[in-house]
Amino acid sequence: MKNKVLLSILWTSSAIILLLTVLSYIIMFGENDISDDPERWGQFGDYFGGLLNPLISFLNLIVLTYLSLRLVKEDDQRSQWTLMELARPYAQISFNKQFNLLEINIENLGLGPLIIKNIIIIDVNGRTFKNFHQLLTPLKTEHDDFIIDVFRISNNHCAVGKENNIPLLKISNNKNEIQTKGLISEMVEKLNGHTIKIEYYDMYKRPMEPLVENIDFLSTFDI
């Protein structure tokens, strides 16, 4: 669209300049008959060339300056876009289940820092929680022997560096193995079927597509 407008302005300006040049000549010398003297025709050409060439050259200078600035701007935009893509994060959730340990981690597999904006836990009934602490508080009260570490966002955001991960939830118990297996199984039953939604953006504050993952510890080995 901008190129079409620019071309229209240039052609219109050139036509106006040409028209004014011809009209000026007709007004000043229109009373004279058309000459058959080659010298007069040469003077006529000098008149047009002397007026039009500087004006056309000036228009060309404006066009070249505009195109040069636009090319530089587009090149800068491409370079900036390339740098932004190189710093693009990529979030992934992993699950770890052992006889005495249960973990849900968020990993950054991208090339730039991952800025977490919101963590939303959605249970099977559609209720939402800001973190696992709200979800597991009743269960933790029943089993005080569990060590439950829950990640919470501070200052409205949290950054995860390249190839790093943070535990959203870590549940452990180093007591009796048989009892621990039973408690871990209870935790698995409590968490399976819930959904984790991670809203995040990159270091340039571009929002990325939210990560939505269903909790399914059954995909790991059975305990």
Side-chain angles (χ1 to χ4, degrees), residues 17 23 45 69 79 111:
I17 291 172
L23 286 176
L69 292 175
S79 298
L111 298 176

Side-chain angles (χ1 to χ4, degrees), residues 14-30:
S14 300
I16 292 174
I17 291 172
L18 180 60
L19 181 62
L20 290 176
T21 303
V22 173
L23 286 176
S24 298
Y25 189 87
I26 292 175
I27 292 172
M28 294 300 297
F29 309 107

Side-chain angles (χ1 to χ4, degrees), residues 8 22 42 62 68 123 154 170 178-179 184 188 200 205 217:
S8 299
V22 173
I62 295 176
S68 298
D123 70 8
S154 61
K170 182 177 180 181
I178 297 178
Q179 180 185 8
I184 290 292
V188 167
Y200 67 101
K205 296 185 178 181
F217 282 101

